[in-house]
PDB file of all heavy atoms in Angstrom:
ATOM      1  N   CYS J  40      91.526  34.852 119.726  1.00 41.00           N
ATOM      2  CA  CYS J  40      90.163  34.762 120.268  1.00 41.00           C
ATOM      3  C   CYS J  40      90.204  34.473 121.757  1.00 41.00           C
ATOM      4  O   CYS J  40      89.428  35.004 122.533  1.00 41.00           O
ATOM      5  CB  CYS J  40      89.394  33.673 119.529  1.00 41.00           C
ATOM      6  SG  CYS J  40      87.644  33.630 119.887  1.00 41.00           S
ATOM      7  N   SER J  41      91.168  33.618 122.172  1.00 42.00           N
ATOM      8  CA  SER J  41      91.255  33.253 123.580  1.00 42.00           C
ATOM      9  C   SER J  41      91.618  34.447 124.432  1.00 42.00           C
ATOM     10  O   SER J  41      91.009  34.716 125.468  1.00 42.00           O
ATOM     11  CB  SER J  41      92.288  32.134 123.762  1.00 42.00           C
ATOM     12  OG  SER J  41      92.481  31.854 125.124  1.00 42.00           O
ATOM     13  N   GLN J  42      92.632  35.211 123.978  1.00 48.00           N
ATOM     14  CA  GLN J  42      93.051  36.392 124.734  1.00 48.00           C
ATOM     15  C   GLN J  42      91.938  37.411 124.791  1.00 48.00           C
ATOM     16  O   GLN J  42      91.722  38.063 125.804  1.00 48.00           O
ATOM     17  CB  GLN J  42      94.285  37.009 124.080  1.00 48.00           C
ATOM     18  CG  GLN J  42      95.543  36.171 124.261  1.00 48.00           C
ATOM     19  CD  GLN J  42      96.685  36.767 123.470  1.00 48.00           C
ATOM     20  OE1 GLN J  42      96.561  37.082 122.282  1.00 48.00           O
ATOM     21  NE2 GLN J  42      97.820  36.932 124.115  1.00 48.00           N
ATOM     22  N   PHE J  43      91.235  37.571 123.668  1.00 46.00           N
ATOM     23  CA  PHE J  43      90.148  38.553 123.625  1.00 46.00           C
ATOM     24  C   PHE J  43      89.043  38.176 124.589  1.00 46.00           C
ATOM     25  O   PHE J  43      88.527  38.998 125.324  1.00 46.00           O
ATOM     26  CB  PHE J  43      89.605  38.630 122.201  1.00 46.00           C
ATOM     27  CG  PHE J  43      88.621  39.726 121.991  1.00 46.00           C
ATOM     28  CD1 PHE J  43      89.008  41.045 122.149  1.00 46.00           C
ATOM     29  CD2 PHE J  43      87.311  39.443 121.656  1.00 46.00           C
ATOM     30  CE1 PHE J  43      88.107  42.068 121.951  1.00 46.00           C
ATOM     31  CE2 PHE J  43      86.414  40.456 121.465  1.00 46.00           C
ATOM     32  CZ  PHE J  43      86.816  41.765 121.607  1.00 46.00           C
ATOM     33  N   ARG J  44      88.673  36.886 124.614  1.00 45.00           N
ATOM     34  CA  ARG J  44      87.630  36.418 125.504  1.00 45.00           C
ATOM     35  C   ARG J  44      88.020  36.646 126.963  1.00 45.00           C
ATOM     36  O   ARG J  44      87.216  37.060 127.793  1.00 45.00           O
ATOM     37  CB  ARG J  44      87.355  34.937 125.236  1.00 45.00           C
ATOM     38  CG  ARG J  44      86.242  34.369 126.079  1.00 45.00           C
ATOM     39  CD  ARG J  44      85.851  32.978 125.624  1.00 45.00           C
ATOM     40  NE  ARG J  44      86.975  32.057 125.611  1.00 45.00           N
ATOM     41  CZ  ARG J  44      87.572  31.623 124.516  1.00 45.00           C
ATOM     42  NH1 ARG J  44      87.167  32.040 123.325  1.00 45.00           N
ATOM     43  NH2 ARG J  44      88.583  30.793 124.590  1.00 45.00           N
ATOM     44  N   GLU J  45      89.294  36.377 127.286  1.00 46.00           N
ATOM     45  CA  GLU J  45      89.755  36.560 128.659  1.00 46.00           C
ATOM     46  C   GLU J  45      89.708  38.027 129.066  1.00 46.00           C
ATOM     47  O   GLU J  45      89.348  38.362 130.197  1.00 46.00           O
ATOM     48  CB  GLU J  45      91.180  36.023 128.797  1.00 46.00           C
ATOM     49  CG  GLU J  45      91.254  34.501 128.691  1.00 46.00           C
ATOM     50  CD  GLU J  45      92.687  34.010 128.683  1.00 46.00           C
ATOM     51  OE1 GLU J  45      93.596  34.852 128.802  1.00 46.00           O
ATOM     52  OE2 GLU J  45      92.897  32.800 128.581  1.00 46.00           O
ATOM     53  N   SER J  46      90.085  38.929 128.141  1.00 47.00           N
ATOM     54  CA  SER J  46      90.081  40.349 128.485  1.00 47.00           C
ATOM     55  C   SER J  46      88.670  40.842 128.745  1.00 47.00           C
ATOM     56  O   SER J  46      88.443  41.645 129.649  1.00 47.00           O
ATOM     57  CB  SER J  46      90.734  41.167 127.375  1.00 47.00           C
ATOM     58  OG  SER J  46      89.916  41.213 126.233  1.00 47.00           O
ATOM     59  N   ILE J  47      87.692  40.392 127.946  1.00 44.00           N
ATOM     60  CA  ILE J  47      86.320  40.822 128.144  1.00 44.00           C
ATOM     61  C   ILE J  47      85.770  40.239 129.433  1.00 44.00           C
ATOM     62  O   ILE J  47      85.045  40.894 130.178  1.00 44.00           O
ATOM     63  CB  ILE J  47      85.447  40.403 126.946  1.00 44.00           C
ATOM     64  CG1 ILE J  47      85.988  41.059 125.670  1.00 44.00           C
ATOM     65  CG2 ILE J  47      84.002  40.800 127.165  1.00 44.00           C
ATOM     66  CD1 ILE J  47      86.111  42.557 125.773  1.00 44.00           C
ATOM     67  N   HIS J  48      86.137  38.989 129.727  1.00 41.00           N
ATOM     68  CA  HIS J  48      85.682  38.381 130.983  1.00 41.00           C
ATOM     69  C   HIS J  48      86.196  39.179 132.169  1.00 41.00           C
ATOM     70  O   HIS J  48      85.476  39.444 133.133  1.00 41.00           O
ATOM     71  CB  HIS J  48      86.170  36.931 131.055  1.00 41.00           C
ATOM     72  CG  HIS J  48      85.664  36.199 132.276  1.00 41.00           C
ATOM     73  ND1 HIS J  48      86.264  36.311 133.505  1.00 41.00           N
ATOM     74  CD2 HIS J  48      84.601  35.387 132.445  1.00 41.00           C
ATOM     75  CE1 HIS J  48      85.601  35.577 134.386  1.00 41.00           C
ATOM     76  NE2 HIS J  48      84.582  35.003 133.775  1.00 41.00           N
ATOM     77  N   ASP J  49      87.481  39.580 132.120  1.00 44.00           N
ATOM     78  CA  ASP J  49      88.046  40.376 133.202  1.00 44.00           C
ATOM     79  C   ASP J  49      87.368  41.731 133.296  1.00 44.00           C
ATOM     80  O   ASP J  49      87.183  42.282 134.383  1.00 44.00           O
ATOM     81  CB  ASP J  49      89.559  40.576 132.987  1.00 44.00           C
ATOM     82  CG  ASP J  49      90.343  39.281 133.173  1.00 44.00           C
ATOM     83  OD1 ASP J  49      89.749  38.319 133.694  1.00 44.00           O
ATOM     84  OD2 ASP J  49      91.511  39.242 132.777  1.00 44.00           O
ATOM     85  N   THR J  50      87.007  42.283 132.143  1.00 42.00           N
ATOM     86  CA  THR J  50      86.299  43.565 132.115  1.00 42.00           C
ATOM     87  C   THR J  50      85.014  43.500 132.923  1.00 42.00           C
ATOM     88  O   THR J  50      84.693  44.396 133.702  1.00 42.00           O
ATOM     89  CB  THR J  50      85.962  43.950 130.670  1.00 42.00           C
ATOM     90  OG1 THR J  50      87.168  44.190 129.966  1.00 42.00           O
ATOM     91  CG2 THR J  50      85.118  45.216 130.628  1.00 42.00           C
ATOM     92  N   LEU J  51      84.255  42.442 132.728  1.00 41.00           N
ATOM     93  CA  LEU J  51      82.922  42.361 133.308  1.00 41.00           C
ATOM     94  C   LEU J  51      82.913  41.762 134.704  1.00 41.00           C
ATOM     95  O   LEU J  51      82.061  42.085 135.519  1.00 41.00           O
ATOM     96  CB  LEU J  51      82.014  41.538 132.387  1.00 41.00           C
ATOM     97  CG  LEU J  51      81.839  42.141 130.990  1.00 41.00           C
ATOM     98  CD1 LEU J  51      81.139  41.166 130.083  1.00 41.00           C
ATOM     99  CD2 LEU J  51      81.057  43.428 131.084  1.00 41.00           C
ATOM    100  N   TYR J  52      83.843  40.843 134.978  1.00 38.00           N
ATOM    101  CA  TYR J  52      83.771  40.117 136.238  1.00 38.00           C
ATOM    102  C   TYR J  52      84.985  40.310 137.139  1.00 38.00           C
ATOM    103  O   TYR J  52      85.024  39.823 138.252  1.00 38.00           O
ATOM    104  CB  TYR J  52      83.605  38.623 135.946  1.00 38.00           C
ATOM    105  CG  TYR J  52      82.406  38.336 135.075  1.00 38.00           C
ATOM    106  CD1 TYR J  52      82.575  37.881 133.774  1.00 38.00           C
ATOM    107  CD2 TYR J  52      81.124  38.559 135.535  1.00 38.00           C
ATOM    108  CE1 TYR J  52      81.490  37.633 132.959  1.00 38.00           C
ATOM    109  CE2 TYR J  52      80.024  38.320 134.730  1.00 38.00           C
ATOM    110  CZ  TYR J  52      80.214  37.848 133.444  1.00 38.00           C
ATOM    111  OH  TYR J  52      79.122  37.613 132.656  1.00 38.00           O
ATOM    112  N   GLY J  53      85.994  41.017 136.613  1.00 40.00           N
ATOM    113  CA  GLY J  53      87.167  41.248 137.439  1.00 40.00           C
ATOM    114  C   GLY J  53      88.211  40.173 137.241  1.00 40.00           C
ATOM    115  O   GLY J  53      87.950  39.096 136.695  1.00 40.00           O
ATOM    116  N   SER J  54      89.428  40.450 137.677  1.00 37.00           N
ATOM    117  CA  SER J  54      90.522  39.509 137.529  1.00 37.00           C
ATOM    118  C   SER J  54      91.291  39.427 138.837  1.00 37.00           C
ATOM    119  O   SER J  54      91.371  40.380 139.600  1.00 37.00           O
ATOM    120  CB  SER J  54      91.441  39.968 136.392  1.00 37.00           C
ATOM    121  OG  SER J  54      92.594  39.173 136.324  1.00 37.00           O
ATOM    122  N   ASP J  55      91.886  38.253 139.076  1.00 34.00           N
ATOM    123  CA  ASP J  55      92.655  38.068 140.295  1.00 34.00           C
ATOM    124  C   ASP J  55      94.062  38.635 140.172  1.00 34.00           C
ATOM    125  O   ASP J  55      94.783  38.744 141.160  1.00 34.00           O
ATOM    126  CB  ASP J  55      92.749  36.571 140.640  1.00 34.00           C
ATOM    127  CG  ASP J  55      91.382  36.003 140.997  1.00 34.00           C
ATOM    128  OD1 ASP J  55      90.548  36.765 141.507  1.00 34.00           O
ATOM    129  OD2 ASP J  55      91.172  34.799 140.760  1.00 34.00           O
ATOM    130  N   THR J  56      94.459  38.959 138.967  1.00 32.00           N
ATOM    131  CA  THR J  56      95.795  39.485 138.743  1.00 32.00           C
ATOM    132  C   THR J  56      95.707  40.784 137.981  1.00 32.00           C
ATOM    133  O   THR J  56      94.759  41.051 137.257  1.00 32.00           O
ATOM    134  CB  THR J  56      96.653  38.484 137.948  1.00 32.00           C
ATOM    135  OG1 THR J  56      96.028  38.230 136.694  1.00 32.00           O
ATOM    136  CG2 THR J  56      96.800  37.166 138.697  1.00 32.00           C
ATOM    137  N   ASP J  57      96.751  41.601 138.111  1.00 30.00           N
ATOM    138  CA  ASP J  57      96.797  42.853 137.376  1.00 30.00           C
ATOM    139  C   ASP J  57      97.129  42.578 135.918  1.00 30.00           C
ATOM    140  O   ASP J  57      97.887  41.675 135.595  1.00 30.00           O
ATOM    141  CB  ASP J  57      97.882  43.780 137.966  1.00 30.00           C
ATOM    142  CG  ASP J  57      97.500  44.249 139.348  1.00 30.00           C
ATOM    143  OD1 ASP J  57      96.295  44.334 139.630  1.00 30.00           O
ATOM    144  OD2 ASP J  57      98.423  44.511 140.136  1.00 30.00           O
ATOM    145  N   SER J  58      96.548  43.388 135.003  1.00 29.00           N
ATOM    146  CA  SER J  58      96.827  43.239 133.579  1.00 29.00           C
ATOM    147  C   SER J  58      98.113  43.984 133.238  1.00 29.00           C
ATOM    148  O   SER J  58      98.439  45.009 133.812  1.00 29.00           O
ATOM    149  CB  SER J  58      95.667  43.800 132.743  1.00 29.00           C
ATOM    150  OG  SER J  58      94.487  43.091 133.002  1.00 29.00           O
ATOM    151  N   SER J  59      98.861  43.465 132.261  1.00 26.00           N
ATOM    152  CA  SER J  59     100.055  44.132 131.756  1.00 26.00           C
ATOM    153  C   SER J  59      99.720  44.734 130.408  1.00 26.00           C
ATOM    154  O   SER J  59      99.269  44.034 129.513  1.00 26.00           O
ATOM    155  CB  SER J  59     101.203  43.123 131.615  1.00 26.00           C
ATOM    156  OG  SER J  59     101.533  42.581 132.883  1.00 26.00           O
ATOM    157  N   TYR J  60      99.940  46.021 130.269  1.00 24.00           N
ATOM    158  CA  TYR J  60      99.570  46.716 129.052  1.00 24.00           C
ATOM    159  C   TYR J  60     100.818  47.054 128.246  1.00 24.00           C
ATOM    160  O   TYR J  60     101.849  47.411 128.768  1.00 24.00           O
ATOM    161  CB  TYR J  60      98.816  48.012 129.385  1.00 24.00           C
ATOM    162  CG  TYR J  60      97.594  47.784 130.217  1.00 24.00           C
ATOM    163  CD1 TYR J  60      97.371  48.507 131.383  1.00 24.00           C
ATOM    164  CD2 TYR J  60      96.668  46.817 129.836  1.00 24.00           C
ATOM    165  CE1 TYR J  60      96.238  48.281 132.143  1.00 24.00           C
ATOM    166  CE2 TYR J  60      95.535  46.590 130.594  1.00 24.00           C
ATOM    167  CZ  TYR J  60      95.320  47.332 131.744  1.00 24.00           C
ATOM    168  OH  TYR J  60      94.206  47.108 132.497  1.00 24.00           O
ATOM    169  N   LYS J  61     100.656  46.949 126.928  1.00 26.00           N
ATOM    170  CA  LYS J  61     101.735  47.285 126.016  1.00 26.00           C
ATOM    171  C   LYS J  61     101.223  48.296 125.004  1.00 26.00           C
ATOM    172  O   LYS J  61     100.033  48.427 124.780  1.00 26.00           O
ATOM    173  CB  LYS J  61     102.236  46.031 125.278  1.00 26.00           C
ATOM    174  CG  LYS J  61     102.794  44.952 126.209  1.00 26.00           C
ATOM    175  CD  LYS J  61     103.218  43.750 125.403  1.00 26.00           C
ATOM    176  CE  LYS J  61     103.753  42.643 126.317  1.00 26.00           C
ATOM    177  NZ  LYS J  61     104.153  41.447 125.549  1.00 26.00           N
ATOM    178  N   ASP J  62     102.151  49.005 124.369  1.00 28.00           N
ATOM    179  CA  ASP J  62     101.752  49.918 123.306  1.00 28.00           C
ATOM    180  C   ASP J  62     101.188  49.115 122.145  1.00 28.00           C
ATOM    181  O   ASP J  62     101.625  48.001 121.867  1.00 28.00           O
ATOM    182  CB  ASP J  62     102.955  50.744 122.824  1.00 28.00           C
ATOM    183  CG  ASP J  62     103.394  51.729 123.896  1.00 28.00           C
ATOM    184  OD1 ASP J  62     102.540  52.124 124.709  1.00 28.00           O
ATOM    185  OD2 ASP J  62     104.579  52.075 123.920  1.00 28.00           O
ATOM    186  N   LEU J  63     100.242  49.690 121.427  1.00 31.00           N
ATOM    187  CA  LEU J  63      99.611  49.017 120.308  1.00 31.00           C
ATOM    188  C   LEU J  63     100.551  48.984 119.110  1.00 31.00           C
ATOM    189  O   LEU J  63     101.418  49.841 118.965  1.00 31.00           O
ATOM    190  CB  LEU J  63      98.321  49.744 119.927  1.00 31.00           C
ATOM    191  CG  LEU J  63      97.249  49.747 121.004  1.00 31.00           C
ATOM    192  CD1 LEU J  63      96.125  50.686 120.567  1.00 31.00           C
ATOM    193  CD2 LEU J  63      96.702  48.357 121.227  1.00 31.00           C
ATOM    194  N   PRO J  64     100.387  47.964 118.233  1.00 34.00           N
ATOM    195  CA  PRO J  64     101.215  47.922 117.020  1.00 34.00           C
ATOM    196  C   PRO J  64     100.994  49.166 116.173  1.00 34.00           C
ATOM    197  O   PRO J  64      99.901  49.713 116.126  1.00 34.00           O
ATOM    198  CB  PRO J  64     100.705  46.668 116.292  1.00 34.00           C
ATOM    199  CG  PRO J  64     100.062  45.831 117.363  1.00 34.00           C
ATOM    200  CD  PRO J  64      99.512  46.821 118.361  1.00 34.00           C
ATOM    201  N   ALA J  65     102.034  49.580 115.496  1.00 32.00           N
ATOM    202  CA  ALA J  65     101.949  50.796 114.688  1.00 32.00           C
ATOM    203  C   ALA J  65     100.941  50.661 113.561  1.00 32.00           C
ATOM    204  O   ALA J  65     100.448  51.649 113.037  1.00 32.00           O
ATOM    205  CB  ALA J  65     103.326  51.135 114.113  1.00 32.00           C
ATOM    206  N   SER J  66     100.611  49.407 113.159  1.00 38.00           N
ATOM    207  CA  SER J  66      99.689  49.198 112.050  1.00 38.00           C
ATOM    208  C   SER J  66      98.243  49.424 112.440  1.00 38.00           C
ATOM    209  O   SER J  66      97.371  49.494 111.586  1.00 38.00           O
ATOM    210  CB  SER J  66      99.838  47.762 111.516  1.00 38.00           C
ATOM    211  OG  SER J  66      99.529  46.820 112.532  1.00 38.00           O
ATOM    212  N   GLN J  67      97.952  49.527 113.722  1.00 42.00           N
ATOM    213  CA  GLN J  67      96.592  49.739 114.177  1.00 42.00           C
ATOM    214  C   GLN J  67      96.398  51.188 114.595  1.00 42.00           C
ATOM    215  O   GLN J  67      97.301  51.838 115.092  1.00 42.00           O
ATOM    216  CB  GLN J  67      96.268  48.829 115.368  1.00 42.00           C
ATOM    217  CG  GLN J  67      96.193  47.359 115.001  1.00 42.00           C
ATOM    218  CD  GLN J  67      95.665  46.557 116.166  1.00 42.00           C
ATOM    219  OE1 GLN J  67      95.342  47.100 117.207  1.00 42.00           O
ATOM    220  NE2 GLN J  67      95.575  45.256 115.985  1.00 42.00           N
ATOM    221  N   ASP J  68      95.198  51.700 114.356  1.00 52.00           N
ATOM    222  CA  ASP J  68      94.873  53.055 114.797  1.00 52.00           C
ATOM    223  C   ASP J  68      94.459  53.009 116.248  1.00 52.00           C
ATOM    224  O   ASP J  68      93.543  52.283 116.626  1.00 52.00           O
ATOM    225  CB  ASP J  68      93.721  53.615 113.959  1.00 52.00           C
ATOM    226  CG  ASP J  68      94.195  54.019 112.580  1.00 52.00           C
ATOM    227  OD1 ASP J  68      95.090  53.350 112.034  1.00 52.00           O
ATOM    228  OD2 ASP J  68      93.673  55.000 112.061  1.00 52.00           O
ATOM    229  N   GLU J  69      95.119  53.772 117.095  1.00 40.00           N
ATOM    230  CA  GLU J  69      94.857  53.735 118.518  1.00 40.00           C
ATOM    231  C   GLU J  69      93.604  54.514 118.868  1.00 40.00           C
ATOM    232  O   GLU J  69      93.318  55.551 118.274  1.00 40.00           O
ATOM    233  CB  GLU J  69      96.053  54.288 119.287  1.00 40.00           C
ATOM    234  CG  GLU J  69      97.330  53.487 119.060  1.00 40.00           C
ATOM    235  CD  GLU J  69      98.484  54.063 119.831  1.00 40.00           C
ATOM    236  OE1 GLU J  69      98.445  55.263 120.128  1.00 40.00           O
ATOM    237  OE2 GLU J  69      99.413  53.328 120.133  1.00 40.00           O
ATOM    238  N   GLU J  70      92.883  54.035 119.838  1.00 38.00           N
ATOM    239  CA  GLU J  70      91.679  54.711 120.290  1.00 38.00           C
ATOM    240  C   GLU J  70      91.880  55.360 121.648  1.00 38.00           C
ATOM    241  O   GLU J  70      91.014  56.027 122.156  1.00 38.00           O
ATOM    242  CB  GLU J  70      90.521  53.709 120.374  1.00 38.00           C
ATOM    243  CG  GLU J  70      90.237  53.023 119.067  1.00 38.00           C
ATOM    244  CD  GLU J  70      90.352  53.948 117.889  1.00 38.00           C
ATOM    245  OE1 GLU J  70      89.727  55.032 117.893  1.00 38.00           O
ATOM    246  OE2 GLU J  70      91.078  53.610 116.949  1.00 38.00           O
TER     247      GLU J  70
END
Side-chain angles (χ1 to χ4, degrees):
C40 190
S41 174
Q42 289 174 311
F43 188 63
R44 182 171 56 253
E45 291 174 2
S46 71
I47 300 305
H48 184 278
D49 291 347
T50 294
L51 299 170
Y52 304 111
S54 173
D55 294 331
T56 59
D57 292 332
S58 298
S59 298
Y60 303 129
K61 299 178 181 179
D62 291 333
L63 297 171
S66 61
Q67 291 189 1
D68 285 35
E69 299 180 335
E70 302 321 308

